[in-house]
Amino acid sequence: MRPTCFALAAGVLLAWQVGPALGADPLARRPANRASELDEQGVIRWSDDHSEVALFGVNLYTPFAVDYGALKARGIDIKAETDRNLAHLVRLGLDCIRLHCWDRELSDVQGNLLDNEHLDLLDYLVAEAKQRGIYALLTPMAWWGTSNPSEGFSNKYTMHQMTTDPAARKAQRNYLAQFVSHVNRYTGLAYKDDPAIVAFELINEPLYPRGTTDAQVTEYINALTEAVRSTGCRKPIFYNGWANRHRAVADSKADGCTFGWYPTGLVAGHVLTDNYLPRVAKYPGMADPILKGKAIAVYEFDAADVPGGYMYPAMARAFRTGGAQIANQFQYDLLALADANLNWQTHFLNLVYAPSKTISFAIAAEAFRTLPRLKDYGDYPESNRFGPCRVSYEELLSEYVTDTVFMYSNDTQTKPPRPERLERVVGYGSSPVVEYEGTGAYFLDRLAPGLWRLEVYPDNVWVADPFSGGTREKSRVYWRERGLTVRLPDLGDDFA
């Protein structure tokens, strides 16, 4: 959904604007072409200036499984829907996507990669994200089932067999080698050679037969890692350390360990209204000394079933304290499906249909990139203030405040320290800078001295509990004239 766009200028009336921004766009991005590399301490760095990588984003599933099936059932052009949602991610300042690929939909029973519509859509997603400056963490194997027709090797083997059965392992190794060597039809680059793909995570949330030792898991990790390395791939390789398998990862040839975090649980079936900030003061286990020398990434996380816009920056802070360099929420609700929160009911993130929560997520992205890795911010409630951020359960509020950027996820009385130097305002509700009667998000970007672009998203109201499941409408958008007052010294009092 396109926001309403205006240009505001001191003493000048400018035309209605729905096309490209006037002047130089401060959010314009270069394609995701920066090469990265792993140093000897297990830190991923940009190759050009050796600064640390810090990427923050979401999982996005247009090519696979339930989202693919729902879009098909509604007759929606999946590539066009991919473009619409990537535009949201850019608007929110996100720079990473992660997705576990449904190998059932991409392979045959021997693990040969299939050149089908799912692979085409994956190629398209990676390529279009790249053009928008968004990097990717790809997990080639998901194992999970799908209602879409499939013939992949995961149909033949249980998840437990994936780690123990020799035939299953042969299929996985074959598939991994072909997957990372696949040449994207839209970029002309193999996945293993595309700088936009920052790393691979071998498999999503593996399960093991009862009694499987860490040594056996390490051997499995090494077998899969060697299959990827045999192709000449030099990208960092992560392995999913869930189910307390960190030591197995630490002893393996994998370069890094991935973590997930759902501190509020999953599938409550209704909104959760308690204060969950004390639960996210620290991330348990991420900074385990046994992982010294391994890169750290977060493959999935969410403040599941929590409606308010206050949790995400606190979680980003905990990830940085734990040493994470990549973090991706699960999952961004596609615009075409978000009115009903149609898939994965316990998650609900969309700029149009859950604006306060999503602006909080945009603030978390700024925090993740700004906060130094491994710095501790203390226990709750001291940890509610960190760097340029503040979170408040009582106010259902996240804030990010600097001389040039002012972001807030709910009504706030906070004043920016140098309003005359502001270049970007992102908000939901009202503040000393913007007084707004509406219930949608808005963005103000300074394009030149005395010239700002204003984007206002439509009003939003939740008409049912968004976490209650089912296919009925949960969130509604509607158009209405609303009063909006802007107080920016750069514009003064005489602007149109």
Side-chain angles (χ1 to χ4, degrees):
M1 180 171 292
R2 185 193 296 270
T4 301
C5 296
F6 299 96
L8 307 178
V12 181
L13 177 64
L14 294 171
W16 172 277
Q17 178 185 288
V18 295
L22 296 171
D25 189 343
L27 294 182
R29 292 179 169 188
R30 295 179 179 178
N33 276 327
R34 292 182 76 184
S36 57
E37 56 195 24
L38 196 72
D39 72 14
E40 294 180 355
Q41 287 73 46
V43 178
I44 306 174
R45 297 184 179 276
W46 297 116
S47 300
D48 51 11
D49 64 3
H50 304 292
S51 61
E52 291 189 10
V53 168
L55 298 171
F56 192 87
V58 294
N59 284 249
L60 193 69
Y61 285 96
T62 48
F64 301 115
V66 291
D67 280 356
Y68 169 91
L71 294 173
K72 282 287 188 180
R74 293 189 175 195
I76 294 168
D77 183 320
I78 295 180
K79 290 180 179 177
E81 184 65 14
T82 297
D83 293 340
R84 282 189 287 268
N85 288 275
L86 288 175
H88 281 197
L89 305 193
V90 172
R91 179 68 273 187
L92 293 167
L94 309 184
D95 52 16
C96 189
I97 56 171
R98 180 263 182 182
L99 66 163
H100 50 282
C101 304
W102 261 255
D103 50 277
R104 291 176 193 256
E105 297 176 340
L106 290 176
S107 68
D108 66 16
V109 72
Q110 287 82 34
N112 295 308
L113 188 68
L114 301 179
D115 190 5
N116 57 19
E117 185 182 13
H118 297 288
L119 187 60
D120 175 65
L121 291 171
L122 176 59
D123 283 350
Y124 186 83
L125 173 59
V126 169
E128 290 300 312
K130 176 178 181 172
Q131 287 305 309
R132 293 165 173 80
I134 299 173
Y135 292 82
L137 170 63
L138 294 185
T139 305
M141 295 190 295
W143 183 85
W144 298 109
T146 173
S147 60
N148 305 315
S150 65
E151 56 182 291
F153 59 89
S154 288
N155 289 320
K156 183 176 181 180
Y157 305 104
T158 67
M159 175 66 91
H160 294 83
Q161 285 178 294
M162 297 280 276
T163 55
T164 57
D165 187 290
R169 183 171 302 184
K170 181 179 179 181
Q172 291 173 81
R173 285 171 54 89
N174 184 37
Y175 169 76
L176 285 170
Q178 293 187 31
F179 182 93
V180 301
S181 299
H182 167 68
V183 176
N184 186 321
R185 71 204 73 205
Y186 300 102
T187 66
L189 294 172
Y191 286 171
K192 65 183 179 66
D193 299 322
D194 191 341
I197 299 175
V198 72
F200 294 105
E201 180 195 31
L202 294 168
I203 184 170
N204 180 76
E205 297 184 347
L207 298 174
Y208 310 103
R210 184 183 297 275
T212 302
T213 66
D214 280 346
Q216 288 174 301
V217 175
T218 297
E219 190 271 333
Y220 171 66
I221 299 171
N222 289 344
L224 300 188
T225 299
E226 289 165 359
V228 174
R229 292 288 182 234
S230 71
T231 67
C233 176
R234 293 295 173 261
K235 293 185 182 296
I237 295 175
F238 286 87
Y239 187 81
N240 192 299
W242 85 320
N244 295 315
R245 293 294 183 168
H246 307 151
R247 182 167 296 280
V249 180
D251 293 338
S252 75
K253 296 179 180 179
D255 301 301
C257 184
T258 60
F259 291 81
W261 203 18
Y262 295 114
T264 62
L266 291 170
V267 200
H270 56 84
V271 297
L272 300 177
T273 57
D274 290 344
N275 179 9
Y276 291 97
L277 287 175
R279 295 192 185 185
V280 297
K282 299 284 193 303
Y283 184 101
M286 184 177 285
D288 192 322
I290 67 170
L291 290 171
K292 185 178 181 179
K294 298 289 186 182
I296 302 296
V298 180
Y299 70 100
E300 291 179 13
F301 74 93
D302 199 11
D305 301 308
V306 173
Y310 70 96
M311 283 282 284
Y312 288 130
M315 298 180 77
R317 177 207 63 222
F319 294 147
R320 292 300 280 166
T321 297
Q325 293 190 258
I326 302 169
N328 290 277
Q329 181 265 1
F330 191 89
Q331 61 29 272
Y332 193 77
D333 285 87
L334 300 177
L335 182 61
L337 310 177
D339 62 324
N341 190 16
L342 193 59
N343 297 323
W344 290 294
Q345 75 178 66
T346 197
H347 310 286
F348 193 37
L349 191 72
N350 180 275
L351 176 57
V352 174
Y353 290 98
S356 176
K357 189 169 184 175
T358 307
I359 294 303
S360 176
F361 193 78
I363 293 168
E366 297 290 341
F368 191 85
R369 289 189 292 265
T370 302
L371 299 176
R373 193 171 52 88
L374 301 175
K375 183 175 180 178
D376 195 314
Y377 294 91
D379 297 322
Y380 177 86
E382 290 77 14
S383 59
N384 286 351
R385 290 182 179 271
F386 46 98
C389 299
R390 180 174 75 93
V391 292
S392 170
Y393 164 73
E394 291 75 17
E395 300 168 78
L396 300 179
L397 173 66
S398 307
E399 291 179 339
Y400 183 91
V401 186
T402 70
D403 286 354
T404 58
V405 180
F406 186 33
M407 304 173 71
Y408 44 93
S409 66
N410 205 354
D411 293 338
T412 181
Q413 297 301 313
T414 298
K415 296 180 180 179
R418 302 285 297 277
E420 73 280 2
R421 294 184 59 186
L422 282 174
E423 297 177 358
R424 182 156 57 106
V425 178
V426 177
Y428 175 85
S430 292
S431 74
V433 173
V434 178
E435 184 178 337
Y436 184 46
E437 299 174 352
T439 59
Y442 52 85
F443 300 80
L444 276 159
D445 297 301
R446 187 175 187 265
L447 304 181
L451 178 62
W452 289 70
R453 179 185 58 208
L454 168 66
E455 294 183 5
V456 183
Y457 282 75
D459 276 8
N460 164 264
V461 62
W462 287 358
V463 296
D465 189 322
F467 306 111
S468 58
T471 59
R472 68 186 185 282
E473 181 187 32
K474 313 291 195 316
S475 181
R476 183 176 301 169
V477 296
Y478 52 95
W479 301 94
R480 176 180 293 178
E481 283 194 5
R482 292 292 203 180
L484 185 146
T485 301
V486 178
R487 300 181 182 93
L488 285 166
D490 188 48
L491 286 174
D493 298 324
D494 183 19
F495 64 90

